[in-house]
């Protein structure tokens, strides 16, 4: 158990809808990262927050947004959902700001999103 | 060309075999090289990371980096059924200021048969 929690575990919704994925980082970790994992694209970095502020952006669509709250939990909002958004969404946390290996990222169990 | 290439497998070996997993990369800016293990229905977990070219050993696992060839490997000795998982290579490079960006390979699915 990494100490990172994600809810819900599974989400089934329809095209055009909006969903919110939630992540609670490990106790004391200030950085939160969101990743999307699909069979064809692999694990893709979406966005990073550090202590409430956005720090880095990856391949995140404009229909997606995220935020980190004062209690350090984070939410990833996905809107106008398309079939291609079906994937596993992982949250990871680490103690510091740098997205480097020596600042190890601890991954949550993921949320499986299915868009019908 | 993708920045990080990894053969997705699947790879099936008998228990006790030596397993070799590999990734190639094209971005010379990558500085840290990592291997993650992902069990089915779980998040990835960091196995090993290295910074420089050469070998790094941790128990049955050896990570090897050849920066001149842009090639990294993970060797698993005396493989066990519990090693059955997807193995993802990952590499990091600076992405603005002091931030580093992680780029993952697609992962290789390994099955170790008893």
């Amino acid at each position: 158990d990494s100490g990172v929690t994600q809810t819900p575990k599974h989400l089934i919704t329809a095209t055009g809808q909006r969903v919110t994925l939630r992540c609670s980082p490990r106790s004391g970790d200030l950085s939160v990262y969101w990743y999307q994992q699909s069979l064809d694209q692999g694990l893709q970095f979406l966005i990073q927050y550090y202590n409430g502020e956005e720090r880095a952006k990856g391949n995140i669509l404009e229909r997606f947004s995220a935020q980190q709250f004062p209690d350090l939990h984070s939410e990833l909002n996905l809107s106008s959902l398309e079939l291609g958004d079906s994937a596993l969404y992982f949250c990871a946390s680490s103690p510091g700001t740098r997205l480097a290996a020596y600042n190890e990222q601890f991954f949550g169990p993921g949320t499986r999103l299915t868009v019908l | 060309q993708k920045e990080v290439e990894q053969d997705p497998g699947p790879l099936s070996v008998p228990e006790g075999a030596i397993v070799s997993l590999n990734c190639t990369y094209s971005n010379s800016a990558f500085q840290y090289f990592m291997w993650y293990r992902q069990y089915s229905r779980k998040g990835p977990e960091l196995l090993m990371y290295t910074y420089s070219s050469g070998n790094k050993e941790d128990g049955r696992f050896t990570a090897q980096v050849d920066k001149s060839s842009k090639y990294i490997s993970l060797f698993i000795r005396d493989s066990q059924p519990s090693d059955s998982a997807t193995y993802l290579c990952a590499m990091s490079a600076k992405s603005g200021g002091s931030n580093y960006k992680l780029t993952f390979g697609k992962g290789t699915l390994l099955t170790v048969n008893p």
Side-chain angles (χ1 to χ4, degrees):
Chain A
D1 185 355
S2 67
V4 178
T5 60
Q6 288 187 249
T7 56
K9 283 187 178 178
H10 302 280
L11 202 47
I12 301 174
T13 188
T15 54
Q17 295 298 304
R18 173 189 169 96
V19 297
T20 297
L21 314 183
R22 183 188 167 102
C23 167
S24 292
R26 292 187 324 152
S27 177
D29 283 357
L30 299 178
S31 271
V32 169
Y33 315 84
W34 285 98
Y35 290 87
Q36 180 192 58
Q37 187 175 41
S38 61
L39 278 174
D40 55 338
Q41 295 293 322
L43 196 60
Q44 299 277 314
F45 167 65
L46 296 178
I47 197 163
Q48 177 203 0
Y49 277 81
Y50 173 76
N51 204 20
E53 291 186 4
E54 182 184 304
R55 277 303 171 100
K57 259 186 173 179
N59 303 321
I60 188 165
L61 300 171
E62 284 192 14
R63 300 183 284 109
F64 296 1
S65 64
Q67 53 184 330
Q68 186 179 28
F69 295 87
D71 67 351
L72 301 178
H73 92 270
S74 178
E75 292 180 355
L76 179 67
N77 300 296
L78 314 176
S79 61
S80 303
L81 284 167
E82 302 175 0
L83 296 177
D85 297 326
S86 295
L88 270 168
Y89 291 84
F90 287 103
C91 166
S93 75
S94 72
T97 62
R98 284 189 278 186
L99 196 62
Y102 58 86
N103 206 351
E104 180 180 349
Q105 293 182 37
F106 296 85
F107 282 78
T111 293
R112 182 174 294 277
L113 173 67
T114 303
V115 182
L116 301 175
Chain B
Q1 182 189 11
K2 280 197 170 283
E3 280 190 295
V4 179
E5 299 274 7
Q6 183 176 10
D7 186 342
L11 188 58
S12 181
V13 301
E15 184 175 352
I18 296 175
V19 176
S20 171
L21 304 166
N22 312 294
C23 288
T24 58
Y25 63 95
S26 58
N27 187 351
S28 300
F30 286 134
Q31 297 180 336
Y32 288 86
F33 304 88
M34 291 133 271
W35 286 95
Y36 282 80
R37 178 175 60 196
Q38 185 175 16
Y39 290 115
S40 180
R41 302 181 187 281
K42 301 280 189 185
E45 56 177 342
L46 183 65
L47 260 182
M48 297 182 71
Y49 78 88
T50 57
Y51 176 70
S52 56
S53 282
N55 292 355
K56 182 176 181 180
E57 202 170 303
D58 184 1
R60 297 183 296 109
F61 298 89
T62 299
Q64 191 175 76
V65 174
D66 182 346
K67 286 188 175 180
S68 61
S69 302
K70 297 190 177 65
Y71 189 89
I72 71 169
S73 300
L74 178 71
F75 298 97
I76 307 174
R77 289 184 299 281
D78 187 26
S79 56
Q80 302 295 309
S82 59
D83 295 327
S84 298
T86 296
Y87 290 80
L88 302 111
C89 62
M91 309 179 187
S92 70
K94 270 197 176 177
S95 172
S98 61
N99 250 15
Y100 285 76
K101 175 191 165 188
L102 268 186
T103 303
F104 284 85
K106 286 192 177 181
T108 300
L109 177 61
L110 170 68
T111 301
V112 181
N113 301 299

